[in-house]
């Protein structure tokens, strides 16, 4: 197997000439804090045991309660690296459930976004979370408020 030497050299240069590694570690510390803080604030929900990283495309963790689980839904806190945005997503527990729920909502309350392709996206509905990431407590409040907004639209 062969790998792109120019990309590997770029990666080496970034690691050696920038604070990329420390910046990434700080982001992971923030994201773990959000997960832990939400778990503390939402004791009735069951949280995924750790955060999941997806090759710097996005990082996420999910949580659910018995009502959501019964309906085939879960909440996901995701960070989109490319857009540098934090989101809370209402997602199906699998593609079948997700497609069923996408059919249920023809539109959703603004400023939430409804998926246009539930077979190929990882959400049914998502609001953007506007917050200053460097303030962990404010970020946790903003994420919880977005989750609360999503929970209110579920029949």
């Amino acid at each position: 197997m062969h790998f792109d030497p120019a990309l590997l050299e770029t990666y080496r240069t970034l690691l050696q000439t920038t604070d990329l590694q420390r910046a990434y570690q700080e982001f992971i510390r923030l994201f773990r804090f959000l997960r832990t803080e939400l778990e503390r604030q939402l004791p009735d929900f069951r949280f995924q045991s750790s955060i999941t990283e997806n090759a710097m495309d996005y990082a996420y963790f999910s949580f659910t309660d018995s009502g959501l689980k019964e309906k085939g839904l879960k909440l996901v806190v995701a960070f989109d690296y490319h857009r540098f945005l934090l989101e809370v997503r209402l997602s199906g527990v699998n593609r079948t459930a997700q497609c069923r729920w996408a059919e249920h909502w023809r539109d959703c309350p603004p400023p939430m976004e409804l998926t246009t392709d539930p077979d190929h996206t990882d959400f049914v509905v998502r609001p953007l979370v506007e917050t200053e990431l460097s303030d962990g407590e404010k970020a946790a409040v903003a994420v919880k408020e977005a989750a609360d907004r999503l929970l209110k639209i579920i029949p």
Side-chain angles (χ1 to χ4, degrees), residues 39-93:
E39 187 173 30
R40 185 186 68 74
Q41 291 182 24
L42 299 167
D44 294 338
F45 286 80
R46 184 167 172 258
F47 282 71
Q48 177 180 329
S49 62
S50 63
I51 63 171
T52 301
E53 267 294 301
N54 189 8
M56 290 189 85
D57 284 330
Y58 56 89
Y60 70 92
F61 60 88
S62 63
F63 57 105
T64 192
D65 67 3
S66 58
L68 287 173
K69 191 172 186 176
E70 188 176 289
K71 293 175 180 179
L73 293 168
K74 62 183 175 182
L75 291 167
V76 177
V77 177
F79 182 79
D80 182 327
Y81 284 94
H82 299 288
R83 298 183 312 151
F84 208 78
L85 292 174
L86 191 58
E87 301 172 339
V88 178
R89 301 170 177 176
L90 184 60
S91 299
V93 295

Side-chain angles (χ1 to χ4, degrees), residues 71-74 90-108 113-126 153-155:
K71 293 175 180 179
L73 293 168
K74 62 183 175 182
L90 184 60
S91 299
V93 295
N94 56 39
R95 295 291 182 201
T96 302
Q98 190 155 292
C99 289
R100 185 176 63 247
W101 279 101
E103 285 287 320
H104 175 78
W105 282 299
R106 294 288 180 210
D107 49 61
C108 58
E113 176 188 357
L114 181 65
T115 183
T116 57
D117 188 1
D119 266 327
H120 297 98
T121 57
D122 293 325
F123 70 95
V124 178
V125 178
R126 67 179 176 188
I153 68 168
I154 300 169

Side-chain angles (χ1 to χ4, degrees), residues 6-18:
L7 287 176
L8 292 172
E9 181 59 26
T10 298
Y11 187 57
R12 182 185 71 75
T13 301
L14 286 169
L15 287 171
Q16 292 178 346
T17 63
T18 71

